[in-house]
Amino acid sequence: MIGASATARRPLTHLGRMGVLGMNRRNIELIAEYNPRKLLPHVDDKILTKELVAGQGIKVAEVLAIIEHHGDFKAFKRIAEEAGELVIKPARGSQGGGIFVASGGGPAGLRKPSGRLSGWDEIRFHVANILAGMYSLGGGGDRVLVEERLEPHSSFDSISFSGVPDLRMIVFRGVPVMAMLRLPTAESDGAANLHKGGVGAGITMETGTTNHAVQWDRSITQHPDFLTELTGFKVPDWEEALLLSARLGDVVDIGYLGVDLVVDEKRGPVLLELNARPGMAIQIANSSGLHAPLAIIEAMDSIPEDPAARVRLALDIERQTRLR
Amino acid sequence: MNSRSIQVAVISGALILFGLCLILYKTLILNYPFTPEARAEIWTVETRLSLTGTGQEVSAEFATPSAPAGFALVDEDAIAPGFGTSATDDETGRRMRVEQRSLEGTEQVFVLSRFYKVDSAQDSVRETGSEEPESVALALESLGEASDAGREAIESVVQTAREQSVDALGTAREIARIYTSESAVTDAVAGMDFDRLELSEPARRLAFTLNVAGIEARRATGIPLETNRRNAPIMAWTEVATNDRGWVALDPATGEPWDDLPLARLGVSDTDLIDVSGAMTDDWVYATKRSYTAEIDRALWNGDRQAPIFTRLSPLILSVEAQLVFQVLLLLPIGALAVAFIRQVIGIKTFGTFMPVLIALAFRETQLVLGVSLFLAIVLLGLLLRSYFNTLHLTLVPRLTAVLSIVTLIMLVIAVAGAANDVRLGLSLSLFPIVILTMTIESMSLIYDEYGPREAFVRASGSLFTAIVAYLVISIPSLQHIVFVFPEFLLIVIGLAIVLGRYNGFTLHEFVRFRMIGKQS
């Protein structure tokens, strides 16, 4: 129970008045309440997530290989040499840990987007570390997921430094609640993660344009590397991205869900991963609290079954709750 | 409030209340001390008898001290090698009887009696019968045989005293005053001579006069528990029977109750204090010694009489070794509560959940400054070596093994270096959680590689800060004492933890982090 809307009772603190959702409240009133424990492994494991959404018409990055044992490395090496462009990630990794991106390959090893060559020895070591569970939630062993490398839409070129920018949506009971664009910077070394120094830009869902941006939890107006404006950027294929996240509400029975998407140059919005414990930084990126829209959706007796209707509902709620 | 919140409120409220009640019961009723410094007064009286025999059958019976008002006899041990011993206890006092078939040469017999100070409420109140007390009847009978001058003198004293007072204690005070101020009367009374009754002794004179006045009183002999004495004087005083306080000892000179002087009674009236047959008594002394014991010892002994269940469930009945272990273990939940508070309410990130608690426990052994320097030194050295191992491309578990071995070696080197400089670190180092340190080094270097130096520094300083706070909390001396003496304190900790677990407000960190929301230009 997230409780009554922030306006029902005048909160004492500035954060309360802004309807900001705190970590403790998220854990107690949303995650414990709406995210059944037994479904969490499906969300935490990227391979299981792919199996879960398979056949539901949701676009995902193509799987090139799955490494379960050290012995699988040889087969992987053959595939990798041929494919060249690929991403290696721990299936149960968190917050972007342990992800290796290759832009080309050959007999000597794989080349990173920065141009540096990683020898097969180094890659074997990295794979072994993933298998040992070095990057996994809760320890224990893990599997290695090898995927096609998605190509970010060209319109991102002016605001994204190397790496792959992604979209983060918060979806509550199948209704998109808030969205942000995560942009890699030189400081984040091509990663779109905010805690590595990436830029987070809040998105007005109605228009699909960015409205505010932060780096290291502080407001900024220009991209630190390109000095381009960060507000007013129109996300390509926005309507499709919004609909895709709304549809995920039907596919996964996780009430409070974080959806990460990449807008691919050729394929459009592609599901990257799901998150059952999405962070709170999206509120800083949007300079807006989550409490008010969540409270409205929680108070509703029934949620429309049609994803498109849920998108319309989302835009409606946004108009009601946005301070601007 | 939904039903879950109500449950939480009820459960945590009940736990906290129950814990508080148990603690209050143990402090207020059983006198468990709330501070570690509390000391209880304890008196030891040693009765020593030296007997020299000539091969004949020997038996000796002698008085041993009874507990003074406000004290209780904890134990009485007879040390009499070669003798058979038996102790008796009746209205006239405690006695020890020692016997030996044939005693050749000199032997010593010791009786050690120990007294704890207790609350006077625990003294048995004497029941007074409605009949005329035996001592009064005896006194009146004796008086009938006395000379006229003496009888008149004593009757005038009694009459004056009665007119001037309302109760037994008042009468006693008045009688004593008359005897001190009017020497003619005193001489006349003292001149009376009964069989065995010499009224020249103030204690006996006061008791006799009180008896004549119809008040139950007696002469008592014993030793004062005043200072440490190797040969305590046997003194005499007067005891008067009162309804509410039982027998009250009076100073024969003033007739005032001797409340501030604990008197260990040996005998009453004119019973013999010692009776030896078949041997020579070379020596017969009472030695008194005051000492202090931890208040908790007395409370345990006291609790054992009143509510044995608490004593049986107390960690204090464990062996000393196990007690030392639990003194540390019982602090863990306290430290964990501090960590829970820091994470839940302040919002500081740490490496691992309870790593800071274990580090705090280690600091408890090494003291803070040394502990922090050791921690930093070990982690930094470990990080350096770990980063070298990383270039060797070792897999996770063997690498952890290597780092663990290195951490252990670093500790050994530090301990040896300390010993060479006369700094003893051995024991304190042993509690440094090696495995936890290893994991800290591992996860720290992982964070460093993955998220950069900034995040690693934030988490490392967060962990150290949390460990220091947890250390400061668990090193409050009275807290250490309370949780050990009152393990039910942990019920309160559980209650507070449940409340913390339902805290859904903002953390202090969030107030800073989200402060710009809605305030943009």
Side-chain angles (χ1 to χ4, degrees):
Chain A
M1 278 289 287
I2 186 97
S5 149
T7 51
R9 171 167 60 97
R10 191 169 164 78
L12 294 172
T13 57
H14 170 72
L15 296 194
R17 283 192 291 278
M18 287 301 117
V20 173
L21 183 70
M23 189 74 82
N24 289 326
R25 195 155 200 170
R26 179 200 71 170
N27 291 341
I28 294 175
E29 295 176 359
L30 292 166
I31 293 178
E33 199 100 353
Y34 289 96
N35 296 358
R37 286 249 158 135
K38 65 178 200 310
L39 290 177
L40 297 189
H42 292 273
V43 177
D44 291 340
D45 189 315
K46 295 179 182 67
I47 297 172
L48 294 180
T49 305
K50 277 186 200 286
E51 287 167 9
L52 193 69
V53 303
Q56 305 278 340
I58 288 177
K59 283 185 275 190
V60 292
E62 196 189 325
V63 179
L64 300 177
I66 290 171
I67 307 174
E68 291 190 37
H69 313 284
H70 296 271
D72 300 339
F73 192 78
K74 232 177 208 165
F76 154 75
K77 192 178 156 189
R78 256 198 324 276
I79 299 168
E81 257 178 73
E82 198 178 313
E85 277 199 301
L86 51 80
V87 183
I88 299 170
K89 38 173 98 160
R92 295 193 292 117
S94 66
Q95 304 195 305
I99 294 180
F100 180 97
V101 182
S103 58
L110 293 171
R111 198 167 293 282
K112 285 185 167 176
S114 60
R116 200 177 79 80
L117 186 82
S118 295
W120 288 116
D121 247 13
E122 196 178 315
I123 294 161
R124 186 195 291 275
F125 177 56
H126 184 68
V127 164
N129 273 337
I130 294 176
L131 289 176
M134 199 164 122
Y135 305 99
S136 316
L137 296 162
D142 198 359
R143 293 185 288 177
V144 183
L145 174 63
V146 185
E147 291 181 334
E148 65 167 326
R149 183 186 175 210
L150 296 169
E151 188 188 345
H153 198 279
S154 50
S155 67
F156 289 116
D157 289 353
S158 63
I159 56 168
S160 166
F161 183 89
S162 77
V164 181
D166 67 9
L167 289 169
R168 157 60 64 87
M169 317 269 202
I170 301 284
V171 180
F172 183 48
R173 298 179 75 188
V175 183
V177 176
M178 203 173 265
M180 76 168 156
L181 178 63
R182 296 188 294 197
L183 303 164
T185 61
E187 199 176 350
S188 77
D189 195 24
N193 304 83
L194 298 196
H195 56 259
K196 289 186 189 172
V199 167
I203 299 171
T204 305
M205 292 193 292
E206 186 162 20
T207 56
T209 51
T210 55
N211 54 40
H212 176 242
V214 289
Q215 187 188 26
W216 295 123
D217 287 349
R218 280 199 196 99
S219 295
I220 54 168
T221 54
Q222 295 176 329
H223 191 280
D225 305 315
F226 304 118
L227 303 181
T228 44
E229 280 302 308
L230 287 169
T231 52
F233 174 84
K234 175 94 175 69
V235 177
D237 297 331
W238 172 249
E239 288 74 16
E240 196 188 333
L242 202 53
L243 189 64
L244 185 132
S245 27
R247 278 173 54 198
L248 278 164
D250 295 330
V251 177
V252 205
D253 196 19
I254 301 267
Y256 184 71
L257 185 67
V259 177
D260 292 351
L261 305 170
V262 170
V263 184
D264 186 77
E265 174 75 12
K266 298 182 210 83
R267 299 179 62 201
V270 173
L271 175 66
L272 198 61
E273 61 177 299
L274 297 175
N275 196 323
R277 303 169 200 82
M280 311 275 87
I282 196 168
Q283 301 179 103
I284 309 175
N286 279 279
S287 190
S288 179
L290 274 166
H291 191 280
L294 292 174
I296 291 174
I297 296 168
E298 180 170 72
M300 295 176 73
D301 294 328
S302 65
I303 302 288
E305 275 181 33
D306 174 25
R310 288 205 295 269
V311 169
R312 283 195 297 279
L313 178 64
L315 301 183
D316 221 38
I317 292 170
E318 185 184 59
R319 274 192 293 273
Q320 285 175 45
T321 56
R322 273 296 161 112
L323 299 161
R324 270 160 282 124
Chain B
M1 283 230 290
N2 59 23
S3 76
R4 194 171 288 137
S5 305
I6 294 169
Q7 276 178 49
V8 166
V10 168
I11 291 174
S12 55
L15 281 170
I16 293 171
L17 201 69
F18 187 52
L20 279 178
C21 285
L22 282 178
I23 291 177
L24 281 179
Y25 176 74
K26 281 167 82 171
T27 34
L28 297 181
I29 311 294
L30 300 183
N31 288 318
Y32 276 59
F34 218 71
T35 50
E37 299 82 29
R39 287 279 177 274
E41 194 177 321
I42 184 167
W43 279 95
T44 307
V45 179
E46 183 192 281
T47 311
R48 193 173 78 239
L49 192 61
S50 188
L51 297 169
T52 305
T54 53
Q56 291 174 333
E57 184 178 321
V58 171
S59 80
E61 190 173 303
F62 52 94
T64 57
S66 306
F71 283 79
L73 180 68
V74 189
D75 50 39
E76 190 182 70
D77 290 326
I79 303 156
F83 288 90
T85 61
S86 60
T88 55
D89 181 16
D90 61 26
E91 282 163 23
T92 59
R94 301 185 66 84
R95 302 178 81 77
M96 179 67 70
R97 185 178 171 78
V98 296
E99 287 166 313
Q100 191 167 331
R101 183 137 299 205
S102 98
L103 175 68
E104 193 90 56
T106 303
E107 286 286 356
Q108 290 207 319
V109 173
F110 295 93
V111 178
L112 289 174
S113 314
R114 293 201 303 142
F115 303 101
Y116 269 134
K117 211 170 166 57
V118 291
D119 304 322
S120 47
Q122 290 159 4
D123 285 354
S124 60
V125 172
R126 183 178 161 278
E127 282 178 31
T128 44
S130 52
E131 291 169 37
E132 190 184 55
E134 198 187 348
S135 60
V136 171
L138 273 171
L140 292 174
E141 196 188 314
S142 310
L143 196 61
E145 298 161 9
S147 62
D148 288 349
R151 193 164 61 222
E152 276 165 27
I154 207 163
E155 277 169 349
S156 79
V157 170
V158 166
Q159 179 134 20
T160 321
R162 270 190 173 149
E163 283 164 8
Q164 306 281 329
S165 62
V166 290
D167 60 357
L169 289 175
T171 311
R173 194 159 42 229
E174 203 52 39
I175 293 170
R177 190 191 62 75
I178 295 169
Y179 281 141
T180 350
S181 54
E182 293 172 34
S183 54
V185 181
T186 315
D187 291 345
V189 174
M192 288 197 289
D193 186 21
F194 307 123
D195 178 37
R196 294 190 64 204
L197 273 180
E198 287 169 33
L199 292 186
S200 55
E201 192 200 59
R204 187 176 287 125
R205 185 167 62 224
L206 180 56
F208 184 78
T209 316
L210 280 165
N211 283 334
V212 171
I215 295 167
E216 192 178 6
R218 66 188 184 189
R219 171 183 179 264
T221 50
I223 46 175
L225 304 182
E226 205 172 10
T227 50
N228 292 353
R229 282 203 147 112
R230 295 181 60 191
N231 192 348
I234 294 175
M235 53 184 280
W237 62 89
T238 309
E239 285 184 351
V240 62
T242 60
N243 289 335
D244 49 345
R245 292 172 57 195
W247 288 105
V248 174
L250 302 177
D251 181 346
T254 63
E256 297 283 351
W258 237 340
D259 286 338
D260 49 350
L261 180 66
L263 296 164
R265 189 196 301 128
L266 290 170
V268 294
S269 303
D270 292 281
T271 49
D272 289 324
L273 295 184
I274 183 162
D275 178 16
V276 177
S277 69
M280 292 250 301
T281 311
D282 301 323
D283 204 4
W284 171 45
V285 289
Y286 294 92
T288 57
K289 185 170 172 294
R290 172 168 41 196
S291 56
Y292 291 90
T293 177
E295 172 86 31
I296 186 65
D297 291 338
R298 193 193 69 128
L300 278 179
W301 168 80
N302 191 23
D304 207 25
R305 295 193 304 172
Q306 291 190 42
I309 182 83
F310 286 105
T311 310
R312 251 176 258 145
L313 292 178
S314 166
L316 289 154
I317 63 154
L318 297 171
S319 70
V320 175
E321 213 173 328
Q323 284 194 28
L324 287 174
V325 171
F326 272 95
Q327 263 169 6
V328 178
L329 282 189
L330 285 168
L331 287 175
L332 258 177
I334 309 280
L337 186 70
V339 172
F341 181 84
I342 285 172
R343 287 174 75 104
Q344 215 53 30
V345 178
I346 302 182
I348 290 176
K349 282 185 194 170
T350 59
F351 285 118
T353 318
F354 289 122
M355 179 277 246
V357 191
L358 296 172
I359 297 293
L361 280 183
F363 286 172
R364 194 174 158 271
E365 301 300 318
T366 56
Q367 300 310 314
L368 195 57
V369 178
L370 181 63
V372 172
S373 351
L374 274 176
F375 175 77
L376 290 177
I378 293 171
V379 168
L380 277 178
L381 274 170
L383 275 176
L384 281 175
L385 287 157
R386 193 267 181 204
S387 69
Y388 171 67
F389 280 142
N390 210 25
T391 64
L392 298 181
H393 290 185
L394 305 179
T395 45
L396 183 66
V397 181
R399 184 175 65 225
L400 281 177
T401 310
V403 175
L404 181 93
S405 315
I406 286 167
V407 170
T408 316
L409 273 177
I410 293 171
M411 306 242 280
L412 179 65
V413 168
I414 291 174
V416 169
N421 295 300
D422 268 356
V423 184
R424 279 161 190 252
L425 293 168
L427 195 69
S428 52
L429 273 176
S430 69
L431 272 150
F432 246 82
I434 298 180
V435 175
I436 295 290
L437 279 175
T438 306
M439 297 310 284
T440 304
I441 290 166
E442 179 63 23
S443 50
M444 199 162 159
S445 62
L446 204 63
I447 300 269
Y448 187 95
D449 292 346
E450 289 286 317
Y451 302 106
R454 187 186 170 120
E455 186 73 12
F457 177 76
V458 165
R459 295 229 193 155
S461 43
S463 303
L464 197 56
F465 171 82
T466 310
I468 290 172
V469 171
Y471 161 78
L472 292 177
V473 170
I474 62 174
S475 51
I476 298 171
S478 45
L479 199 63
Q480 294 183 10
H481 167 82
I482 285 170
V483 77
F484 191 64
V485 174
F486 307 98
E488 54 275 11
F489 188 76
L490 293 190
L491 294 178
I492 299 176
V493 171
I494 299 171
L496 292 176
I498 291 175
V499 170
L500 263 185
R502 290 294 296 181
Y503 172 73
N504 66 3
F506 295 109
T507 63
L508 284 182
H509 170 245
E510 281 171 338
F511 278 113
V512 178
R513 185 180 179 208
F514 293 144
R515 71 190 180 284
M516 295 312 292
I517 289 182
K519 278 186 184 167
Q520 72 187 119
S521 45

